[in-house]
Amino acid sequence: MSPQLLNLAYIVASILFIFGLKMLGRQHTARRGNLLSAVGMLIAVVVTLFDRHVVSFQWIIVGLIAGTLIGIACARLVKMTSMPEMVALLNGFGGLASLLVGWAEYGKIQAFGWDKYLSEFAGTPTFTSAVIFLTVLIGGITFTGSIYAFCKLAEWLSGRPILFTGQNIVNGLMAVALLGAGVVFIVSRDMQLTTTAFWVVLALCLVLGWTLVMPIGGGDMPVVIAILNSLSGLAACAAGFVITNNVLIVAGCLVGTSGMILSVIMCKAMNRSIANVLFSGFGAAPAATAAGGEGAIQGELKPISPEDSFAVLEAARQVVIIPGYGMAVSQAQHVVRELAEMLERNGAEVRFAIHPVAGRMPGHMNVLLAEANVPYEQLVEMDAINPLMSTMDVAIVIGANDVVNPAAARDKASPIYGMPIINAHEARTVICLKRGKGTGFSGLENQLFLLPNTRMLYGDAKASLQGVISEFKAVAAA
Ligand code: NAP
């Protein structure tokens, strides 16, 4: 295939990626967007196979079959709640693939020597060494960082941040050593020296990926995964420069920037900076300001039974359901939908209020509610529901905690002060479903639970909702 035709196909693939990504932003165009991007990827893969650099199809076919089988098995077997782990693994393998590309290219340079290498492939020694260095560096950090993130999310390792004195200094020294070895690798033309520098870079970036994620708590893993996703894109982009493949450069940039935008959105929704997520060791110790400082609410927890909850809900005309991480834990999304349908049959208007960081990954609640076939029109974003909150008869808080904690708005001493919340406390009555006195991800007590208009429906969310539904059914049958 001529280089012109190859590049034309790559431009078409890139356009399909960009439009596909844009369409993923809306629920009704998302499926088509996914398909469009997949077609773009198919074009990119097929034309690359016709590239003159491909010398043997044997291993490509083996990889294709193995990858397809693993992909189908994952898509069928991985549960919706395990998606964050799955994404962490995919990022990690993306980083590893880029690292191996950089390594293989350096292997060629070692085997041929610079003169022969440059006579066959484009580039200059400094540029080629620099992009190989970047590919190995970013790919290596992404690989071990993602594997650590996966282990934390899958609870193979403790979710608590692991901190030790001088940790940032140790990481800083490793980063300096890594950059030093990188400079030697890029500048030197002595093959023995560059080989030693290469091994140092490889070893240090693998260790650094692990140690950078160590001090970050399990609850912050979604942000870390978005950052690692961005890094895996940048590693692929660098790999694209290494093997002079334009579509890899474009696709890598798209992944890199979209991952970074997502990380920034998540941090804003938590009122924290990326540096705070990465280096503050958030969640290392239980928060001491549980009872709150100035502006904190005083009161006691008032339990309510499913029977009494039914009585409150039966009389309600405006109901807002606020789901959080606990709904995902108890897998209550299907019973939530059932309750919402019953309330509507009873004459109530039901809305679902979605906080951008409810749960443990962006869009966590949207995915679960979509799985339970909750109509998308019933989902209302935080900024749209808050002005309506004082008109709500009942707010049902299902396993949400931090995202409805009024301390974020009122208590300047609170670690989550400034985080935007759903103003559940403004509803006439608030029914909170949770198992016991467990705190939210931030480790804080929730002052919402102490308000005079709040009642606590204790127990697993799914079981509690089933209790309320049984009351509705019993009354309907009577
Ligand atoms: P949360 O603050 O983690 O609270 C979850 C609540 O669910 C807990 O109070 C827990 O109390 C309850 N719960 C757990 N299992 C339950 C079950 N089976 N049945 C009933 N209740 C159950 O959740 P959130 O309000 O959704 O807030 C999310 C947090 O994660 C925020 O602090 C956010 O900043 C953080 N975060 C989210 C993202 C993201 O992308 N979504 C990213 C980074 C950080 P009990 O133990 O007493 O039951």
Side-chain angles (χ1 to χ4, degrees), residues 345-402:
R345 279 200 292 276
N346 192 45
E349 188 175 355
V350 181
R351 296 174 177 90
F352 288 81
I354 308 297
H355 191 285
V357 291
R360 290 292 181 272
M361 65 172 185
H364 203 169
M365 297 301 116
N366 304 59
V367 170
L368 291 174
L369 294 173
E371 183 199 319
N373 291 325
V374 171
Y376 217 73
E377 308 77 62
Q378 283 189 350
L379 272 53
V380 188
E381 286 182 13
M382 175 174 66
D383 293 338
I385 198 71
N386 275 343
L388 303 178
M389 203 51 90
S390 56
T391 65
M392 294 294 141
D393 296 318
V394 185
I396 313 175
V397 177
I398 302 176
N401 197 334
D402 290 344

Side-chain angles (χ1 to χ4, degrees), residues 303-306 309 431-434 455-459 464-465 468:
I304 190 171
S305 63
S309 305
I431 300 177
C432 294
L433 280 72
K434 69 200 294 287
R455 296 290 178 274
M456 306 299 296
L457 180 51
Y458 287 119
S464 299
L465 289 168
V468 179

